[in-house]
Amino acid sequence: MEFDMADKIEQSKQSPFEIFRYSQKAAPGVLSGNILRLLLMVLVIFAVMSIARPSAFLTPLNFRSMAFQASEIGLLAIAIAIAMLSGGIDLSIVSTANLAGILAAMTLGAMVTADATGGQVTSGIVVALGVALLVGLVAGLFNGFLIAYLGIPPILATLGTGLIYRGLGTGLTGGSTVFGIRQTQFIGNGVVLGIPFPLIILLVIAAILALVLRRTRFGVQLYLIGSNPTAARFSGINNRRVLLISYVIAGVLASIAGIVILGRTNAANVDFGAPYVLLSILIAVLGDVDPYGGSGTILGVLIALVGVQFLSTGVNMLLFRSSGANFFKEFTWGALLLVVLVVNYYSRHRQARIRTVTTVEQVVEASPEESQQAL
Amino acid sequence: MLRLRKLFARHEMLIALIIVVFSLIVGAINPRFFSVANAFSLVRSATIMGVFSMGALIVIISGGIDVSFPGIAVAAAYTTTELLVNWGYDGESMLLPFALSGFLGLLMGLINAFFIARFKLPTFIVTLGTLSLFRGAMLFFVGSDYYNARELPISIRTYSAESILTVETARGTTSLHPTIFILIAIALLTWFVLRYTMLGRGIYAIGGDREAAERAGFNINRTQWIIYAFVGLNAGIGGMIVTALFRQANPFALVGTELEVIAAVVLGGAALTGGRGTVIGSLLGVILITMVNNSLILLGIPSDWQRLVVGFLILIGAGIPLLRARLTERRIAERRRLEAQASRSGAA
């Protein structure tokens, strides 16, 4: 496998087109088997919920509220997926999101006073959004620096920075909740042409990132680093720079999620969204992002997001009489994550076997003598 | 002189030095730090973290990371308490509670091992999943109510009041609990296994270079089964220690402990990437983290900033060995350059 990869990159020195074709393979097309399987699963969950509780599940209101909930988790899931594509992980996303929300809310509190004019409100909002995005940028840069330039393993680095960002938030607020203003609620609660505004934010960002991953040099390099960092370095890729950029993207996405959360709940505190790290990893893995890096698509993550949201709402509806719905959900997320890991393991192994067989056949076809040596 | 330099070059020595300097500073600011009561309270917290750190240590040496052990500990100890109460168990011995909790922990550890060893899945993601699985299962299927001291089985209640050393102070009596012996036993066992057995060599080998370990003939699958089974057993026992020391069975206890324990082990010189780590280092790391947690209050720093400090300690712990390796590399390169220069000038 690794040699196969190295060969590909060796060839790519002659033709830059090869490297691109390889990335197409790493990022399978829309109708790949895994995506189809995922879609089927989402449809099954949808069907079960629709039959079990049609009066509550199959309503426009329910779908709208699911869209609101899913958007912020979707942004976090894409953030973690980007880090996972490079073979790493970002465990600091929820802390980053909360810190961004807290600082944005504090900025609003300081700039938009009770007797503020319309202009002051607008400038306050612009500055607050800028502050939030800056938090994400700085947090991502720090993560990227620790991982790419100091060489600290991503799990440890982001575990540490997650505590630091969370600690900063706790220190700034004393652990209490800070509130936003009425005018920013549109970001989290607004509806445009019947579509929830946060969903629009999510879809626009997902589309941009899908394009970046598939059509830019950075995207191709990220997949290559994820599949084989050594081969990537020897093919002339600046691994450090690419890794740094990927953690910056994850940080900025997390801060956008923080803005959406602030808009939706009109509040920010450090304890918000504790299970979101697990949920976003679950969604990314379910969406067929390889936790060892190198493969996965934004589309897969989005479909997995829909499935997990259906399931989450479904469990709430089925257990609405029981007080333990949240405990059961926690159990379900864990179990689902493990099942998905195992299913993906088997499907990857099958693909790997098929690929090996075709490679051997090609070698045999190419020349009997050479294949003898190769085998 | 050279030997002294070698001694100070050891990571453990550095941490020990930091501990001494830190306690002198804290003691100078607040003399209460050097009181017996504070020392016993430190030992108490360090016992819990120390027991967990032995499990975390061998996982980290083997190149993995386990975040599920607080979930295992609470699920095992809480389920044990629930079972003993339902059975109306009124024996005096602590053997059954510890054995049962350890056994339940072992079973959960085997679940971790199954996913990690059988499917070669990433350890962090698997244990994050099982953490949620174990906690959710306990809270939903077993229960989510507290057991306070009076509701605990008589054996656990009696044990929690035991003491090996009771000291009278101005503020009342303070005592040292015998659970410290359990920590010493587990630490000695871990130290012996890591240092003197083939299993221990295998754990270091897997962490250092998985491929090379496999070629050298280590059975990676079996080693990983043993590692995660041990972590489960250890967590089950640790959970019962927590129940005894806090005199309550709290299903929501220990949330977030994994981060502090991992911080302690990493600070103690264990490397996620290099098959490095020692029992002494981890215990020193535990002492340092416990002291930091405990002293921020004595120093007058609001506990809100505590997490920030632990976060920085993780980064420092992970960063120091890397910086050191880089410095050593540079020194070697420098020496080579000088040697080359010397030989060139000699030739001329």
Side-chain angles (χ1 to χ4, degrees):
Chain A
M1 179 67 201
E2 278 179 25
F3 290 120
D4 183 7
M5 181 78 200
D7 288 345
K8 288 273 186 221
I9 289 155
E10 203 55 42
Q11 289 167 14
S12 74
K13 276 183 185 157
Q14 283 108 43
S15 103
F17 194 65
E18 271 303 312
I19 207 166
F20 184 69
R21 231 171 46 201
Y22 186 82
S23 82
Q24 293 284 315
K25 208 173 186 178
V30 177
L31 287 175
S32 80
N34 292 332
I35 299 281
L36 280 180
R37 196 180 60 220
L38 194 59
L39 268 175
L40 193 73
M41 200 201 76
V42 172
L43 282 178
V44 168
I45 298 173
F46 177 77
V48 169
M49 291 311 161
S50 307
I51 294 164
R53 293 195 50 82
S55 57
F57 190 78
L58 276 179
T59 61
L61 189 72
N62 180 43
F63 273 81
R64 191 174 282 181
S65 79
M66 282 197 291
F68 278 115
Q69 284 170 31
S71 303
E72 58 203 40
I73 303 180
L75 287 167
L76 293 172
I78 293 178
I80 221 161
I82 299 277
M84 280 165 79
L85 284 180
S86 75
I89 198 160
D90 187 349
L91 304 174
S92 69
I93 44 168
V94 175
S95 305
T96 307
N98 287 335
L99 185 60
I102 286 168
L103 281 172
M106 288 178 130
T107 313
L108 286 173
M111 288 186 66
V112 183
T113 44
D115 54 349
T117 61
Q120 280 171 323
V121 172
T122 315
S123 63
I125 292 175
V126 169
V127 173
L129 294 186
V131 166
L133 292 175
L134 193 68
V135 168
L137 181 78
V138 172
L141 273 174
F142 189 47
N143 287 340
F145 168 73
L146 294 172
I147 294 162
Y149 289 86
L150 285 190
I152 299 179
I155 290 179
L156 279 183
T158 56
L159 215 56
T161 58
L163 283 169
I164 291 173
Y165 305 153
R166 198 186 153 133
L168 277 177
T170 320
L172 288 172
T173 60
S176 58
T177 303
V178 285
F179 296 96
I181 55 170
R182 194 168 37 80
Q183 288 88 340
T184 53
Q185 290 193 36
F186 177 80
I187 302 170
N189 292 318
V191 176
V192 179
L193 301 170
I195 305 167
F197 189 62
L199 186 65
I200 296 177
I201 299 178
L202 171 68
L203 291 178
V204 168
I205 288 176
I208 294 172
L209 279 174
L211 273 177
V212 166
L213 289 179
R214 296 292 292 280
R215 298 274 174 243
T216 66
R217 179 204 289 258
F218 165 78
V220 176
Q221 291 179 339
L222 188 66
Y223 279 109
L224 279 169
I225 289 177
S227 2
N228 191 335
T230 316
R233 201 170 61 239
F234 282 117
S235 70
I237 293 173
N238 185 346
N239 284 18
R240 288 178 166 178
R241 207 181 58 109
V242 175
L243 278 179
L244 184 74
I245 295 173
S246 70
Y247 283 96
V248 167
I249 293 178
V252 171
L253 283 178
S255 66
I256 296 174
I259 295 171
V260 171
I261 292 168
L262 175 66
R264 188 173 66 84
T265 62
N266 201 26
N269 70 62
V270 284
D271 295 318
F272 188 85
Y276 279 9
V277 173
L278 172 79
L279 262 183
S280 34
I281 291 177
L282 170 66
I283 291 166
V285 172
L286 186 65
D288 207 30
V289 176
D290 188 346
Y292 284 119
S295 84
T297 56
I298 298 290
L299 182 68
V301 175
L302 287 183
I303 298 174
L305 173 68
V306 175
V308 167
Q309 186 59 52
F310 281 174
L311 203 62
S312 174
T313 308
V315 169
N316 275 349
M317 284 176 175
L318 295 177
L319 290 176
F320 65 103
R321 279 191 205 88
S322 153
S323 61
N326 277 334
F327 303 150
F328 188 73
K329 258 201 272 186
E330 199 176 341
F331 171 74
T332 318
W333 298 148
L336 189 63
L337 179 61
L338 295 168
V339 169
V340 171
L341 283 171
V342 171
V343 170
N344 284 359
Y345 167 85
Y346 278 117
S347 87
R348 280 217 176 82
H349 265 230
R350 217 186 47 223
Q351 283 171 5
R353 261 209 308 278
I354 293 168
R355 209 173 293 149
T356 321
V357 170
T358 40
T359 327
V360 171
E361 276 168 1
Q362 282 164 358
V363 172
V364 173
E365 270 170 33
S367 134
E369 267 172 44
E370 272 172 36
S371 71
Q372 215 86 66
Q373 285 165 354
L375 290 171
Chain B
M1 183 60 206
L2 197 74
R3 194 180 289 168
L4 201 67
R5 186 188 264 177
K6 227 174 197 168
L7 191 66
F8 275 98
R10 280 183 67 97
H11 190 87
E12 285 85 353
M13 202 58 211
L14 186 71
I15 300 295
L17 213 67
I18 294 173
I19 290 175
V20 171
V21 172
F22 186 83
S23 45
L24 286 178
I25 294 173
V26 180
I29 295 172
N30 191 335
R32 253 179 60 206
F33 181 79
F34 287 123
S35 68
V36 178
N38 190 49
F40 282 5
S41 134
L42 274 176
V43 170
R44 213 173 126 100
S45 322
T47 304
I48 297 171
M49 263 179 82
V51 168
F52 289 135
S53 78
M54 291 299 105
L57 171 68
I58 68 164
V59 172
I60 288 182
I61 292 177
S62 77
I65 196 159
D66 182 338
V67 290
S68 72
F69 63 84
I72 296 183
V74 170
Y78 184 79
T79 310
T80 302
T81 312
E82 176 103 6
L83 284 173
L84 293 179
V85 169
N86 285 353
W87 291 341
Y89 174 76
D90 55 1
E92 297 276 320
S93 162
M94 241 346 242
L95 201 63
L96 183 67
F98 269 120
L100 191 57
S101 187
F103 175 71
L104 291 172
L106 179 73
L107 289 184
M108 289 184 259
L110 288 175
I111 295 178
N112 277 340
F114 171 71
F115 287 104
I116 290 165
R118 168 71 185 79
F119 298 106
K120 300 183 181 67
L121 296 171
T123 54
F124 174 78
I125 296 181
V126 166
T127 54
L128 191 68
T130 55
L131 171 67
S132 172
L133 183 82
F134 298 148
R135 265 179 50 89
M138 173 196 63
L139 292 169
F140 188 74
F141 297 111
V142 181
S144 54
D145 300 321
Y146 288 73
Y147 283 96
N148 63 31
R150 269 178 296 121
E151 295 160 334
L152 287 177
I154 180 100
S155 50
I156 302 178
R157 207 187 320 156
T158 328
Y159 183 67
S160 66
E162 264 180 43
S163 160
I164 48 171
L165 182 64
T166 309
V167 178
E168 296 278 344
T169 65
R171 292 158 188 259
T173 63
T174 172
S175 55
L176 194 60
H177 197 268
T179 42
I180 182 78
F181 291 131
I182 302 180
L183 170 63
I184 293 171
I186 293 176
L188 281 176
L189 177 76
T190 314
W191 172 77
F192 180 80
V193 168
L194 284 177
R195 201 175 167 108
Y196 292 110
T197 66
M198 215 42 176
L199 175 66
R201 295 288 100 197
I203 294 172
Y204 280 104
I206 294 179
D209 187 335
R210 202 189 157 100
E211 197 114 331
E214 200 156 24
R215 284 186 194 167
F218 286 110
N219 186 337
I220 292 180
N221 200 34
R222 206 192 54 163
T223 312
Q224 283 192 323
W225 274 94
I226 297 174
I227 291 172
Y228 290 94
F230 170 75
V231 172
L233 173 70
N234 185 56
I237 294 171
M240 193 41 78
I241 293 179
V242 173
T243 310
L245 285 181
F246 286 98
R247 293 179 199 187
Q248 58 169 327
N250 174 4
F252 299 99
L254 296 181
V255 173
T257 317
E258 68 275 11
L259 300 183
E260 288 187 356
V261 171
I262 290 168
V265 172
V266 170
L267 205 55
L272 205 59
T273 47
R276 258 187 307 120
T278 60
V279 169
I280 297 289
S282 295
L283 291 179
L284 288 171
V286 166
I287 293 172
L288 186 54
I289 295 264
T290 318
M291 264 180 23
V292 167
N293 278 348
N294 163 294
S295 319
L296 289 184
I297 303 157
L298 291 182
L299 286 176
I301 297 170
S303 58
D304 297 337
W305 296 98
Q306 198 164 308
R307 280 205 194 87
L308 188 83
V309 177
V310 175
F312 272 115
L313 288 178
I314 289 187
L315 296 184
I316 292 168
I320 286 177
L322 293 168
L323 285 178
R324 260 195 179 167
R326 204 162 286 179
L327 283 180
T328 316
E329 247 168 55
R330 197 171 293 169
R331 209 180 306 137
I332 291 170
E334 180 78 358
R335 195 183 300 155
R336 284 224 184 98
R337 202 176 56 84
L338 286 176
E339 272 169 14
Q341 225 164 35
S343 67
R344 221 178 302 139
S345 61

